[in-house]
Amino acid sequence: MQEPSSGTPDRRGLAPAAFRAELVEFLDTHHPGRTPGDDHAALAFQRAWQATLHDHGWVAPGWPREVGGMGLPLDLQVVYHREMAAARTPLPPNNFVGIVGPTLIAHGTDAQRDRYLRPMLRTDALWCQGFSEPGAGSDLASLTTRAVRDGDVYRVSGRKIWISKAAIADHMLALVRTGSPGSGSAGISCLVVDMAAPGVSVQPIRDMTGGAYFAEVTLDGVEVAVDHLVGRHDDGWRCARATLGHERSTSLAAAALRYQRVVGSLVRLAERRGALGSEVHRQDLARLLTEARLLELNGARVLGHVLDGSDPGPLSSVNRLQHGLFEQRLHEAALRLLGADAVLGHDEPALGTDARWVTGFLRTRASTIGAGTAEIQRSTIAQRVLGMPSDRVLP
Amino acid sequence: MTAADVGAFVFSVEQEALRESVRRAGAAFVEAERVREVMTSSTGHDPGLWAALGEIGVHSLLADDLTGAGIVEAQVVAEQLGRHLAGSAYVGSAVMATVLLRELGGEVAQELLERLAAGTSVATVALAEVGATGPGRWGVDQVSTVVERTAAGHVVTGHKDLVLDLPAADVVLVVGRGEDGPAVMAVEPTAAGVQAESLRTLDATRRLGRLRLERAVGTQVGRADGVAAAVSCATQAAGAVLAAEQAGGARRALEMAVEHAAVREQFGRPIGSFQAIQHRCADLLVVVESSTSVSFAAGRAIDGGHDDADLLVSMALAYCADAYLDVAAATIQVHGGMGFTWDHPAHLFLRRARSGEVLLGSSVEHRERVLDRFLRSRTGSATGTPPPL
């Protein structure tokens, strides 16, 4: 592994207040402002920001310094996420810190880490995740995209679906079947697929919002060099489960703060529409204010455990489920507040800025489907957290 | 920078120790049979449990600032008592009456506080008026009980409602209106002119009464100009503690459902293996954990003197009451026919949950306060620092 870049400042030992002060100073100087609405411009804007963060040593607070991250202790990671959320900095163009990065960090070879991680952090190269298939969603272990070893390549054929930002990605971290059919999770490997390779084709999926955020990727005899295997052969299922530290709890905490602001916008919507005179709407808003606050408070308990090294227990799974449900309830309430204007489409000029609620209402149908359906989450909570007997469905 | 500064929360070592010592002290008094005995007793109050709590110093926790304990400590106690529907006057006496006396100050208050802290007296606050509906009944503004100054002292006339633990109380702090403004009068329930009407309540584990006062002799506690604030402080404290008690009850009710589902078999397997049961319990866990989070956040906000303490107490009361109802109803459902029997404890949780929802203001009323507090707190800034917990 390469030595930490001499250019990356070491902020690990800073006291939280001093760390915050440095971050605030950096943001005061470098905050690029509001992300443009146009998709094309937004992507360039977000990439430029990631490059800025990287070049000043402010990217990936939970990643080890050796691979370009900040290597921060947990309490400083929390400060980092809170300040970034409060300052409303641009989001990264895709979620590489979630699974792709940690998988490579934990299971990649030195050569893979050297080749991929820094460009990933700067977003010089963009990544997507090829897990789900048309026939393998909740039951991901039944995936059938086949990778057959032939000399120094794997030949990969199959279809991956629900891949976000596939059209702009340079690489895909893919789970493929290297074991015999029916081998389940024991016959899965993890490969880095070059999206420009012959045999890779991307078909955008028009989703119910009218947009095409996701795509299907067809792999037709794609040759993937053997040195693109991440982790061991047939060990991909375990590798793809890698997460780093408590990325999720710290970033959920940031999301909770954003939601409270969003509910504030909802209250202003209610005021504009004269809805505050109605007890029904007032009760609705009070419930949402409470739920948004609960996301923060439940998150605070998770963080408390994380920081003192104890097990958050049920709270982490509870958090995830609650976030998804909340997003839906928020937008359902927003459309109730629109009253008769709920007949209007997001592209109807008369809606003005309220169009965001319409697209959000449609988009958040996916909040209880993507990244683990609410049903799977409930079964997981019941069996893994409450210790209820197996339903003979969950692996 | 503490955990709180980065928005994290854990219970302290001392709070965990308190939780454990309440659990141990109460263990002998919370068995199902004992709960039933106390339920049918004349006072609904368990003197053995009261004494056991006294031995671990629970009665004096909120009596003064010197104990170092705050609302969160009282909540830790109440959460444990709530798990078992323990018959005790904790919320009414050790919290609401104690905080009222502490805030009012003065000689009379001090003397009463000493008796309460020693566990030798049980007090309760008579605030809401019979016939007063609406949210104002938990403040001094809607008080219509009259305090008159006579040659011999003060006399009180009125009809009070929702008086907690009245059959067990030996002193009632009656909130009335005198010539100088609101006044608190310490009245003995056995005195002349006092008629204690015990209500037959839905929740027999928590006694409530009405108090009819006809020129009853009372001793003034504190001064008129401090009453409104003291009452507000006492109801705020009682609210946070009640919410924690509800959270404790809800958690226990869920545990019972999960335990039952693990052993009850139908169609050749435990009913806990069926998705319908699993999914219901998972949703209940979200609600139980959220109840714990919001109730203790309210307690911390009061202890920390945060601006949003009132907002959080109302959030907690509205949320925990509704949550408790959901969980209690679901627990009966998961227990099937057994859950519908008198002997099974499940219905006791439902009764406790249902009446608890109106004790210090309904969920609807508290949500109205949440929105009101939120609207008043807005600064209009788009970004700004994260709110304190």
Side-chain angles (χ1 to χ4, degrees):
Chain A
M1 261 196 299
Q2 71 183 52
E3 287 303 303
S5 149
S6 57
T8 310
D10 188 349
R11 301 186 176 96
R12 292 171 296 177
L14 287 176
F19 176 85
R20 184 177 175 266
E22 273 196 35
L23 178 52
V24 167
E25 197 194 314
F26 166 75
L27 290 173
D28 281 346
T29 331
H30 291 95
H31 195 305
R34 217 189 161 92
T35 307
D38 168 74
D39 279 351
H40 197 69
L43 179 63
F45 189 83
Q46 288 167 332
R47 291 177 88 161
W49 175 242
Q50 290 303 309
T52 304
L53 283 175
H54 173 275
D55 297 344
H56 289 83
W58 284 108
V59 77
W63 286 22
R65 282 171 54 76
E66 303 82 74
V67 297
M70 299 174 73
L72 295 176
L74 285 168
D75 61 342
L76 294 186
Q77 286 187 48
V78 171
V79 175
Y80 176 97
H81 285 293
R82 276 166 78 89
E83 288 309 318
M84 289 298 192
R88 299 165 110 164
T89 52
L91 296 173
N94 53 7
N95 181 22
F96 55 87
V97 289
I99 292 185
V100 179
T103 302
L104 285 170
I105 292 168
H107 301 286
T109 61
D110 287 348
Q112 288 168 343
R113 286 195 283 252
D114 288 348
R115 191 188 319 149
Y116 294 130
L117 290 174
R118 271 182 205 281
M120 182 190 294
L121 284 177
R122 290 192 94 250
T123 60
D124 293 337
L126 295 175
W127 286 73
C128 65
Q129 215 171 285
F131 286 13
S132 298
E133 298 180 355
S138 292
D139 187 7
L140 185 60
S142 71
L143 64 87
T144 57
T145 294
R146 196 111 183 76
V148 179
R149 179 81 182 259
D150 180 9
D152 58 359
V153 298
Y154 286 101
R155 283 188 206 290
V156 185
S157 290
R159 287 159 70 198
K160 291 295 184 184
I161 199 173
W162 297 120
I163 302 175
S164 50
K165 308 261 178 102
I168 55 168
D170 301 293
H171 309 287
M172 173 167 67
L173 188 76
L175 288 180
V176 297
R177 183 155 307 286
T178 40
S180 52
S183 53
S185 54
I188 290 174
S189 298
C190 191
L191 291 178
V192 175
V193 176
D194 179 355
M195 293 296 280
V200 177
S201 61
V202 177
Q203 301 93 40
I205 298 171
R206 190 165 194 209
D207 66 54
M208 60 178 272
T209 66
Y213 181 79
F214 301 101
E216 191 173 308
V217 173
T218 305
L219 305 161
D220 188 4
V222 178
E223 285 186 4
V224 176
V226 161
D227 72 354
H228 280 47
L229 178 72
V230 180
R232 289 195 308 273
H233 188 85
D234 281 350
D235 199 28
W237 184 255
R238 189 180 64 88
C239 291
R241 249 123 195 74
T243 49
L244 257 183
H246 298 275
E247 206 70 59
R248 172 170 291 148
S249 38
T250 46
S251 60
L252 275 184
L257 293 174
R258 277 201 302 276
Y259 289 146
Q260 290 183 65
R261 273 204 299 266
V262 174
V263 179
S265 308
L266 203 66
V267 173
R268 286 195 292 279
L269 168 66
E271 284 173 306
R272 281 203 309 278
R273 299 208 157 237
L276 287 188
S278 148
E279 182 168 358
V280 170
H281 287 305
R282 296 174 72 87
Q283 290 286 307
D284 244 1
L285 289 170
R287 279 185 209 275
L288 288 167
L289 283 165
T290 304
E291 279 188 50
R293 195 66 187 267
L294 276 170
L295 292 172
E296 182 197 342
L297 296 174
N298 283 338
R301 285 172 61 208
V302 173
L303 276 182
H305 284 291
V306 159
L307 288 176
D308 80 1
S310 58
D311 180 13
L315 291 163
S316 310
S317 342
V318 158
N319 236 7
R320 282 189 60 202
L321 179 59
Q322 211 171 15
H323 272 258
L325 293 168
F326 172 75
E327 287 183 338
Q328 289 182 337
R329 288 199 273 262
L330 177 71
H331 287 89
E332 285 157 12
L335 259 68
R336 283 196 291 275
L337 286 168
L338 288 184
D341 279 358
V343 300
L344 301 175
H346 74 276
D347 49 357
E348 165 51 53
L351 256 189
T353 52
D354 289 342
R356 66 179 279 199
W357 301 114
V358 174
T359 42
F361 170 73
L362 295 170
R363 187 188 71 243
T364 52
R365 290 299 102 198
S367 302
T368 48
I369 299 173
T373 63
E375 285 70 25
I376 294 289
Q377 288 185 39
R378 286 185 183 108
S379 291
T380 305
I381 288 172
Q383 293 174 45
R384 309 258 185 281
V385 177
L386 291 172
M388 296 180 87
S390 165
D391 64 346
R392 306 178 194 173
V393 171
L394 272 199
Chain B
M1 204 180 255
T2 62
D5 296 324
V6 295
F9 170 66
V10 275
F11 288 103
S12 69
V13 169
E14 293 79 11
Q15 286 160 352
E16 293 290 0
L18 175 62
R19 176 174 279 130
E20 181 54 25
S21 70
V22 173
R23 198 196 59 76
R24 266 188 279 113
F29 305 98
V30 296
E31 290 300 308
E33 249 186 63
R34 177 91 183 197
V35 170
R36 297 276 175 164
E37 250 178 66
V38 172
M39 245 173 78
T40 50
S41 75
S42 57
T43 60
H45 175 76
D46 187 340
L49 174 61
W50 198 246
L53 291 174
E55 272 163 42
I56 58 168
V58 152
H59 297 307
S60 58
L61 283 178
L62 298 180
D64 59 49
D65 295 328
L66 303 172
T67 63
I71 300 298
V72 171
E73 279 68 28
Q75 288 179 311
V76 168
V77 176
E79 187 191 35
Q80 290 305 299
L81 296 176
R83 282 174 62 78
H84 302 287
L85 307 172
S88 88
Y90 186 71
V91 174
S93 182
V95 181
M96 195 155 160
T98 297
V99 171
L100 181 62
L101 290 168
R102 189 194 70 203
E103 293 299 305
L104 288 170
E107 256 180 57
V108 176
Q110 194 48 44
E111 196 256 317
L112 286 169
L113 273 174
E114 274 160 31
R115 283 160 53 187
L116 292 187
T120 52
S121 257
V122 172
T124 186
V125 178
L127 174 56
E129 304 283 354
V130 171
T133 53
R137 69 183 181 282
W138 293 108
V140 296
D141 294 339
Q142 279 192 25
V143 163
S144 57
T145 291
V146 169
V147 173
E148 272 178 74
R149 196 202 301 271
T150 66
H154 291 96
V155 292
V156 189
T157 302
H159 198 188
K160 288 299 196 182
D161 199 2
L162 296 173
V163 183
L164 287 170
D165 319 306
L166 187 55
D170 53 273
V171 60
V172 182
L173 302 172
V174 180
V175 183
R177 185 164 295 286
E179 63 198 10
D180 297 327
V184 176
M185 297 288 146
V187 172
E188 280 168 36
T190 50
V194 181
Q195 198 183 334
E197 304 161 10
S198 206
L199 294 169
R200 298 190 68 78
T201 47
L202 178 69
D203 172 17
T205 67
R206 168 171 271 142
R207 296 299 162 81
L208 292 171
R210 287 183 173 163
L211 203 62
R212 195 179 281 285
L213 304 143
E214 198 60 58
R215 301 183 68 78
V217 170
T219 313
Q220 182 159 20
V221 187
R223 291 173 9 212
D225 59 5
V227 171
V231 166
S232 174
C233 206
T235 53
Q236 189 190 60
V241 175
L242 179 64
E245 184 197 275
Q246 291 169 332
R251 188 177 289 275
R252 179 68 199 129
L254 174 59
E255 284 168 16
M256 278 170 38
V258 170
E259 282 160 17
H260 174 77
V263 299
R264 169 70 178 177
E265 290 200 3
Q266 288 287 266
F267 308 107
R269 47 195 184 124
I271 64 171
S273 67
F274 299 135
Q275 279 188 354
I277 306 276
Q278 289 198 353
H279 288 196
R280 188 132 190 213
C281 289
D283 283 338
L284 294 177
L285 183 64
V286 174
V287 146
V288 162
E289 291 297 345
S290 300
S291 296
T292 300
S293 296
V294 70
S295 55
F296 282 97
R300 289 200 311 281
I302 296 173
D303 287 340
H306 296 156
D307 289 339
D308 60 353
D310 261 353
L311 171 81
L312 279 166
V313 170
S314 282
M315 274 186 176
L317 279 170
Y319 190 87
C320 295
D322 287 353
Y324 197 6
L325 264 170
D326 279 347
V327 181
T331 295
I332 293 172
Q333 182 70 15
V334 170
H335 281 84
M338 255 176 69
F340 191 64
T341 64
W342 181 262
D343 288 339
H344 195 279
H347 73 113
L348 299 182
F349 287 88
L350 184 72
R351 290 165 177 270
R352 176 64 78 96
R354 195 64 209 80
S355 19
E357 194 260 345
V358 300
L359 268 188
L360 285 171
S362 71
S363 295
V364 169
E365 286 163 1
H366 279 290
R367 274 190 288 272
E368 183 55 49
R369 283 177 67 139
V370 166
L371 183 63
D372 176 68
R373 292 282 185 278
F374 174 78
L375 292 171
R376 289 205 266 138
S377 74
R378 278 185 315 182
T379 58
S381 73
T383 55
T385 50
L389 287 173

